[in-house]
Amino acid sequence: MRGLGPKLYCLFSFVAIVNCSGPKSVVFKTPVDTSSKPITYQEKKTYELLDVDVFASNEFDGARLNGFEKINDSTALVVINPENTPINNSPYYAFKTWSKHPKSFNFTFKYPIGFKHRYIPKIEKNNIWSIIDSTSIFKNDSLVTIKVSLSPTPQTIAAQELQSSSDVKYWYTQLISGKSDKVRLNSAGKSILGRDLPVLNIYKGNPDKKELIVLITRQHPPEVTGYYAFQSILETILNNTELSNQFLSNYQIIAFPIMNPDGVDLGHWRHNSGGVDMNRDWSVYNQPEILQAVTYIERTLKKTKSKLILGLDFHSTWYDIFYTNEDRETTTMPNFINNWFTALESNIPNYKVNEASANSDKPTSKGWLLNGHNAVGITYEIGDQTPKEDIKIFGEISAEEMMKIILTKNNNN
């Protein structure tokens, strides 16, 4: 690095970035290599099986289709590969398909060796999503085949409902319209491929010395049900009730509605365009999305002379579950988790909290909140198949009880 000035040196060394202006790293028991790794891009195209007049396309944001081959006159092989490996065993797929004439047709999914089908297919017709009927799903060992009625009108078959970066932007633009007294739209920076990293700053009045809550979602692209819970919580926080107005007069929120826009729009199984699981980079911030989000949080805390008390990171998995840290006594709100979970069970009909508690050995957001800020960190996981109407209720009550508890936290601690 001889001959480089200090500013230029910062561009070449993460250590220099930290020392010059960036956030401090957080030490974890089990470090993870989050340096960028090559990814394989899909070939964007429309596949044509002309002898059976069936077509499939991945030419849209959020698509994942790596090959489409005829097996016989009634069945096609749908080839799905990840962006790179090693990777979590959660194969994601999304493609549009149609035929020249109405017909029933079968699609058999092919994943690389070692990967198994996870997501029950969803089908979108005329902007309406539905889950494929179980009688149209056939399993033969590791192979899964679905039977679909095709027509000249394209329909989308996907692992989860599509929520591209443009869909997310449309949602939060509508959400914040007319609420300039409570929410400001900013940008934390850009993704590797130049997509915006939007952030919502939410509070009433002056934010100085208002303790901070951070909400995060879509670190992992297909985890849409967690994103729906994030939506419901934010909509409740901004619903202009006496509770929400009181809360936002005393606290501030930073909300990141799409942390991994590249991975979302590229149809990735799990990683960003740097080929990395972003929820393992909350230590040394090798990936620019995490670095910029952490920098934004730290600068907000410094600017408003505040402290971070709570972070919720929204994900999806096979079932509803909260991942929490075991260490609580010395955190910002030692009683919050127990009080919150008790309130959820008391206010959601027939609901039982499913919790798994352990301090994060690996550099996840939950661990960063604890180890970096002594804040309460929770990974809020929603099941892949949890109905949207249930998610909306979970989100509304989660937000309401969270606000009530935090407003009275000084009495509870």
mmCIF file of all heavy atoms in Angstrom, residues 52 70-76 104-107:
data_model
loop_
_atom_site.group_PDB
_atom_site.id
_atom_site.type_symbol
_atom_site.label_atom_id
_atom_site.label_comp_id
_atom_site.label_asym_id
_atom_site.label_seq_id
_atom_site.Cartn_x
_atom_site.Cartn_y
_atom_site.Cartn_z
ATOM 1 N N VAL A 52 -44.796 -29.756 -27.977
ATOM 2 C CA VAL A 52 -45.959 -29.888 -27.088
ATOM 3 C C VAL A 52 -46.591 -28.524 -26.797
ATOM 4 O O VAL A 52 -47.535 -28.417 -26.016
ATOM 5 C CB VAL A 52 -45.579 -30.592 -25.763
ATOM 6 C CG1 VAL A 52 -45.227 -32.047 -26.019
ATOM 7 C CG2 VAL A 52 -44.444 -29.874 -25.049
ATOM 8 N N LYS A 70 -38.007 -31.226 -21.940
ATOM 9 C CA LYS A 70 -39.105 -32.166 -22.110
ATOM 10 C C LYS A 70 -38.696 -33.557 -21.626
ATOM 11 O O LYS A 70 -37.631 -34.051 -21.976
ATOM 12 C CB LYS A 70 -39.511 -32.226 -23.577
ATOM 13 C CG LYS A 70 -40.600 -33.250 -23.885
ATOM 14 C CD LYS A 70 -40.882 -33.326 -25.366
ATOM 15 C CE LYS A 70 -41.791 -34.503 -25.697
ATOM 16 N NZ LYS A 70 -42.036 -34.630 -27.153
ATOM 17 N N ILE A 71 -39.556 -34.171 -20.811
ATOM 18 C CA ILE A 71 -39.376 -35.566 -20.418
ATOM 19 C C ILE A 71 -40.234 -36.448 -21.311
ATOM 20 O O ILE A 71 -39.773 -37.453 -21.853
ATOM 21 C CB ILE A 71 -39.749 -35.779 -18.937
ATOM 22 C CG1 ILE A 71 -38.797 -34.987 -18.030
ATOM 23 C CG2 ILE A 71 -39.716 -37.265 -18.581
ATOM 24 C CD1 ILE A 71 -39.129 -35.100 -16.550
ATOM 25 N N ASN A 72 -41.499 -36.074 -21.453
ATOM 26 C CA ASN A 72 -42.403 -36.754 -22.387
ATOM 27 C C ASN A 72 -43.478 -35.754 -22.797
ATOM 28 O O ASN A 72 -43.392 -34.570 -22.457
ATOM 29 C CB ASN A 72 -43.001 -38.034 -21.768
ATOM 30 C CG ASN A 72 -43.682 -37.761 -20.440
ATOM 31 O OD1 ASN A 72 -44.492 -36.833 -20.317
ATOM 32 N ND2 ASN A 72 -43.360 -38.568 -19.417
ATOM 33 N N ASP A 73 -44.495 -36.188 -23.493
ATOM 34 C CA ASP A 73 -45.493 -35.261 -24.029
ATOM 35 C C ASP A 73 -46.340 -34.592 -22.953
ATOM 36 O O ASP A 73 -47.047 -33.616 -23.253
ATOM 37 C CB ASP A 73 -46.416 -35.995 -25.013
ATOM 38 C CG ASP A 73 -45.734 -36.299 -26.332
ATOM 39 O OD1 ASP A 73 -44.625 -35.766 -26.547
ATOM 40 O OD2 ASP A 73 -46.289 -37.084 -27.124
ATOM 41 N N SER A 74 -46.257 -35.060 -21.722
ATOM 42 C CA SER A 74 -47.078 -34.475 -20.672
ATOM 43 C C SER A 74 -46.259 -33.957 -19.488
ATOM 44 O O SER A 74 -46.838 -33.477 -18.515
ATOM 45 C CB SER A 74 -48.088 -35.496 -20.144
ATOM 46 O OG SER A 74 -47.416 -36.608 -19.578
ATOM 47 N N THR A 75 -44.921 -34.015 -19.598
ATOM 48 C CA THR A 75 -44.087 -33.661 -18.448
ATOM 49 C C THR A 75 -42.824 -32.934 -18.888
ATOM 50 O O THR A 75 -42.183 -33.316 -19.871
ATOM 51 C CB THR A 75 -43.678 -34.911 -17.652
ATOM 52 O OG1 THR A 75 -44.840 -35.671 -17.315
ATOM 53 C CG2 THR A 75 -42.937 -34.537 -16.367
ATOM 54 N N ALA A 76 -42.464 -31.895 -18.139
ATOM 55 C CA ALA A 76 -41.201 -31.182 -18.357
ATOM 56 C C ALA A 76 -40.372 -31.224 -17.081
ATOM 57 O O ALA A 76 -40.906 -31.267 -15.966
ATOM 58 C CB ALA A 76 -41.456 -29.734 -18.763
ATOM 59 N N SER A 104 -53.632 -30.005 -19.345
ATOM 60 C CA SER A 104 -52.962 -30.342 -18.099
ATOM 61 C C SER A 104 -51.530 -30.733 -18.417
ATOM 62 O O SER A 104 -51.274 -31.416 -19.417
ATOM 63 C CB SER A 104 -53.677 -31.499 -17.390
ATOM 64 O OG SER A 104 -54.943 -31.090 -16.936
ATOM 65 N N PHE A 105 -50.599 -30.303 -17.542
ATOM 66 C CA PHE A 105 -49.194 -30.578 -17.805
ATOM 67 C C PHE A 105 -48.470 -30.752 -16.477
ATOM 68 O O PHE A 105 -48.837 -30.135 -15.465
ATOM 69 C CB PHE A 105 -48.567 -29.421 -18.604
ATOM 70 C CG PHE A 105 -47.326 -29.801 -19.345
ATOM 71 C CD1 PHE A 105 -47.402 -30.571 -20.491
ATOM 72 C CD2 PHE A 105 -46.079 -29.401 -18.889
ATOM 73 C CE1 PHE A 105 -46.256 -30.931 -21.189
ATOM 74 C CE2 PHE A 105 -44.929 -29.741 -19.574
ATOM 75 C CZ PHE A 105 -45.014 -30.516 -20.731
ATOM 76 N N ASN A 106 -47.445 -31.599 -16.508
ATOM 77 C CA ASN A 106 -46.688 -31.915 -15.300
ATOM 78 C C ASN A 106 -45.314 -31.250 -15.308
ATOM 79 O O ASN A 106 -44.673 -31.150 -16.370
ATOM 80 C CB ASN A 106 -46.501 -33.425 -15.165
ATOM 81 C CG ASN A 106 -47.810 -34.167 -15.074
ATOM 82 O OD1 ASN A 106 -48.745 -33.727 -14.407
ATOM 83 N ND2 ASN A 106 -47.907 -35.307 -15.747
ATOM 84 N N PHE A 107 -44.880 -30.829 -14.126
ATOM 85 C CA PHE A 107 -43.564 -30.238 -13.954
ATOM 86 C C PHE A 107 -42.819 -31.006 -12.857
ATOM 87 O O PHE A 107 -43.300 -31.071 -11.718
ATOM 88 C CB PHE A 107 -43.667 -28.763 -13.565
ATOM 89 C CG PHE A 107 -44.378 -27.910 -14.580
ATOM 90 C CD1 PHE A 107 -45.756 -27.764 -14.544
ATOM 91 C CD2 PHE A 107 -43.668 -27.267 -15.585
ATOM 92 C CE1 PHE A 107 -46.413 -26.977 -15.480
ATOM 93 C CE2 PHE A 107 -44.309 -26.477 -16.525
ATOM 94 C CZ PHE A 107 -45.684 -26.329 -16.478
#
